[in-house]
Amino acid sequence: MKPIYILLACFLLGGGVKAQTSGASPDASANDTNLATEVKTLREALLQTQKQMAAQQREIEALKARAKDGATRTVTNEPASSTSKTAAADSATSSVEPSAEHAGINIQDQASTQQLQEQGKPEQVPLGSFRLGDAILELGGFVDLENIFRTTNTQSNIATNLGGFPYNNTPQGRVTEFRTTAQFSRLSFKIQDRFAGNDVLGFVEGDFSGNDAPGVYQSVNPHTNRLRLYFMDLKRGKWEILGGQTWSWLTPNREGIGPMPSDLAITYNEDQNLGVGVPYTRAAEFRVAYHPNKHWAFGAGIEDPNQFIGGFVALPAAFTSIGSQFDNGAQSGAANAFPDVLSKVTYDNEFAHRHFHAEVTGLFTGAHASAIPLGSTSSKSHTAVGGGGQIAANFELLPNKLVLLANVFWSDGGAHYLVATGPELVIRPNAAGTDVNLSMVHAGAGSAGLEWRASPMQAFAIYYGGDYYGRNFFPDTTNASHPGTIIGFGGSGSPNTNNRAIQQVTFDWLQTLWKDRRYGALQTYVQYSYLTRAPWFVGPGDPKNAHFSMVYAGFRYILPTTAGTLLRVPYPN
């Protein structure tokens, strides 16, 4: 503003000197009048210029405030233009209108330049995010150092064998185990784009808990990388289509019907098998969902089945070879009949700023096998179908603080979704002992928990969960050497691996030590669990159940793009 004052002062001084040095003349009075008019005009112009500069300064300050608050929308120059045009119109009668108008344009240009400079500063995006054309690629995951202590030797790695931990009358049941490992470390890639009205998301995630060979902990710990998730999700309008390997729809959601891990109620537990009572798989799926409004969603899909008997089922003596057609733990693929069919309906709403989610999921499954009846030369196919369903819900008792979660699952042949703690079916001989049929096993599960997000940096949780298997046994009519031998699952004389019930209580504590939007987060965690399992048959002198305690404690660095989930879901899964 000082240069303008100096310029006007010089102009006025020059005019005054000229008036004083000029001789008296008949035009003197006219000159005095013109000078007064000119001074008045200049004062008006100066006043108008001051108004313009004040308006521009206010606009500049507003732009700075928006830039500081992280506003990304483009700010136009319309207010400055309006101010400039108004100023020019107000001084239309002035003899120096062009000068005033140019001053306004100059100031507007300066504001625009500063505005562009503010907008041109690089956005502080998380490290690991990249733009590929119009698509955004994010690298996520975490580096994990985990310590595990168990009061019995389960011979498990970070994924506890929930259905086969030892009894205290065995050598493994009388010795503790301790492991330190980095195999839970995780790496993920997420890419998002929008084209032709479609929102497309691709996601791949892996860890290092693949098929470890015996002796993997000797010397070099060569844990193999494995596929956890790999899918594409496309949304168009109210429709959503997904294909790839993802979490099953039987896995409870925290909200909505979507596939992202942060949308699922998979606990804060560190155990890679989540916990007893929470059904899940990660399998190849294709599904279609419809979102009629922001509250409701429903869909149907298919996913990879697995007709599973594990080592739980006693087979008919004359048909033991049929076991190779099922997943008995000795081969990589079973003779599945058809895909599992799942449907799901979800409801989300806010009540007094408290989020509520409820869902119902349906399952249709089946199995088949081929056998040659005794006395025949041709094989005969046998098929059995089953199904089940789940109800799950969660509710914020305190907004963004305290969450109550629960789920109940019941099925006829749904053991495939309960982490190999029991069989899907048994093989039942006919009364004559010449042929067999397939018979499904009842399987149920349930869990409930409280999650307390004490602060953005700290969370606690407590969960209880249980699995239940119905018994399905009968005499082996094909066994001529030992008639009346009980086979199937859960009968008299069955091994103590034939679980009737498995229960687990867990306490979790997660502490975020440091978090930065660009550089990620450091987190420590502790999980304590007590587990017990009871078999259908207890032999004389044998313990009535197996039980043990375990503690997970570790430390992890979380990549920036994954650390963003810590505010809502402390476990960056």
Side-chain angles (χ1 to χ4, degrees):
M1 191 176 288
K2 285 184 178 180
I4 297 176
Y5 286 134
I6 293 171
L7 178 62
L8 291 173
C10 291
F11 186 78
L12 292 172
L13 180 60
V17 171
K18 180 179 178 183
Q20 291 175 8
T21 57
S22 298
S25 68
D27 297 328
S29 60
N31 289 337
D32 290 342
T33 303
N34 291 338
L35 179 59
T37 302
E38 188 174 358
V39 170
K40 181 180 178 182
T41 301
L42 288 173
R43 286 177 178 172
E44 292 176 352
L46 177 60
L47 181 61
Q48 190 60 48
T49 301
Q50 289 176 326
K51 291 181 179 180
Q52 292 178 30
M53 294 182 70
Q56 294 293 341
Q57 187 64 31
R58 288 193 297 271
E59 183 184 2
I60 290 170
E61 292 301 327
L63 291 173
K64 285 182 178 180
R66 291 182 187 178
K68 185 176 181 180
D69 291 339
T72 56
R73 60 181 181 274
T74 302
V75 183
T76 67
N77 289 326
E78 289 178 6
S81 299
S82 300
T83 303
S84 182
K85 290 178 181 178
T86 304
D90 289 343
S91 59
T93 58
S94 172
S95 60
V96 291
E97 177 183 344
S99 299
E101 185 175 278
H102 291 156
I105 293 173
N106 252 346
I107 297 168
Q108 179 179 337
D109 289 342
Q110 291 172 8
S112 300
T113 302
Q114 184 168 351
Q115 187 176 324
L116 291 174
Q117 288 173 350
E118 292 289 339
Q119 294 176 9
K121 290 182 179 179
E123 184 184 356
Q124 298 296 301
V125 297
L127 295 175
S129 296
F130 306 93
R131 183 175 291 277
L132 304 176
D134 292 331
I136 300 296
L137 173 66
E138 295 181 2
L139 306 182
F142 51 85
V143 180
D144 189 82
L145 179 64
E146 191 160 65
N147 301 280
I148 309 160
F149 173 79
R150 299 185 179 98
T151 57
T152 61
N153 180 209
T154 66
Q155 302 182 3
S156 303
N157 52 22
I158 59 175
T160 305
N161 181 2
L162 300 176
F165 48 89
Y167 286 76
N168 61 12
N169 64 343
T170 65
Q172 286 77 24
R174 296 172 179 170
V175 64
T176 64
E177 67 181 12
F178 175 83
R179 307 196 194 289
T180 296
T181 179
Q183 69 181 118
F184 201 36
S185 300
R186 199 167 299 172
L187 185 63
S188 65
F189 299 86
K190 181 173 72 172
I191 187 166
Q192 300 178 82
D193 198 0
R194 179 177 176 81
F195 69 93
N198 303 295
D199 292 313
V200 181
L201 181 147
F203 188 76
V204 58
E205 180 183 72
D207 61 20
F208 298 89
S209 295
N211 294 319
D212 288 341
V216 68
Y217 291 102
Q218 174 61 32
S219 299
V220 295
N221 291 263
H223 301 289
T224 56
N225 183 252
R226 70 166 182 174
L227 179 67
R228 286 174 59 89
L229 302 169
Y230 196 169
F231 62 82
M232 187 205 75
D233 185 78
L234 184 147
K235 295 179 181 178
R236 183 180 180 89
K238 297 183 178 182
W239 290 95
E240 181 177 3
I241 301 174
L242 180 143
Q245 179 163 310
T246 185
W247 293 88
S248 169
W249 258 345
L250 273 173
T251 310
N253 276 70
R254 288 183 182 274
E255 61 182 13
I257 201 170
M260 292 302 294
S262 59
D263 294 332
L264 304 174
I266 47 181
T267 78
Y268 294 165
N269 295 351
E270 293 303 313
D271 193 327
Q272 202 167 51
N273 279 339
L274 301 187
V276 175
V278 182
Y280 79 93
T281 61
R282 290 189 300 271
E285 301 179 27
F286 177 81
R287 62 201 200 195
V288 179
Y290 183 72
H291 304 259
N293 53 51
K294 67 179 183 178
H295 299 299
W296 291 93
F298 56 87
I302 58 173
E303 71 174 64
D304 185 48
N306 189 34
Q307 47 190 55
F308 175 77
I309 62 172
F312 302 103
V313 176
L315 300 171
F319 293 90
T320 56
S321 62
I322 200 173
S324 62
Q325 300 177 48
F326 302 89
D327 181 353
N328 58 11
Q331 77 283 332
S332 58
N336 299 317
F338 52 81
D340 284 355
V341 181
L342 289 94
S343 60
K344 191 166 187 172
V345 179
T346 66
Y347 174 77
D348 291 87
N349 210 337
E350 300 284 334
F351 299 99
H353 304 290
R354 301 171 183 179
H355 179 254
F356 172 75
H357 170 86
E359 63 182 56
V360 177
T361 308
L363 165 69
F364 178 73
T365 188
H368 70 166
S370 178
I372 300 177
L374 298 181
S376 175
T377 57
S378 59
S379 63
K380 183 178 179 182
S381 181
H382 304 276
T383 302
V385 296
Q390 177 175 248
I391 299 174
N394 64 80
F395 179 62
E396 287 185 334
L397 301 177
L398 296 175
N400 299 315
K401 285 287 186 181
L402 188 62
V403 183
L404 173 66
L405 310 94
N407 68 279
V408 178
F409 169 71
W410 182 255
S411 73
D412 194 23
H416 166 48
Y417 295 89
L418 299 180
V419 204
T421 53
E424 177 183 2
L425 53 84
V426 295
I427 293 86
R428 184 185 191 109
N430 61 9
T434 58
D435 201 1
V436 293
N437 290 296
L438 309 182
S439 178
M440 293 293 184
V441 173
H442 295 306
S447 72
L450 282 171
E451 296 173 349
W452 178 34
R453 301 162 194 163
S455 73
M457 307 291 279
Q458 192 174 58
F460 301 89
I462 179 172
Y463 305 100
Y464 167 79
D467 290 349
Y468 171 84
Y469 289 92
R471 63 203 315 192
N472 193 345
F473 64 92
F474 28 78
D476 184 3
T477 57
T478 72
N479 192 336
S481 301
H482 300 88
T485 300
I486 300 299
I487 60 172
F489 176 79
S492 177
S494 61
N496 60 20
T497 56
N498 282 200
N499 299 308
R500 176 176 56 85
I502 307 169
Q503 301 177 77
Q504 178 179 359
V505 176
T506 296
F507 300 90
D508 291 328
W509 170 41
L510 296 95
Q511 178 70 52
T512 302
L513 305 175
W514 169 84
K515 180 162 59 68
D516 184 90
R517 182 171 177 266
R518 271 182 61 78
Y519 300 106
L522 296 176
Q523 187 181 69
T524 185
Y525 53 84
V526 176
Q527 172 190 337
Y528 169 77
S529 294
Y530 177 80
L531 294 94
T532 178
R533 67 180 183 93
W536 273 109
F537 176 77
V538 178
D542 290 341
K544 64 179 182 180
N545 59 41
H547 53 85
F548 77 105
S549 295
M550 63 179 180
V551 176
Y552 287 73
F555 181 82
R556 63 167 59 104
Y557 164 70
I558 304 159
L559 295 178
T561 52
T562 307
T565 65
L566 291 176
L567 289 173
R568 190 176 66 83
V569 183
Y571 185 59
N573 201 0

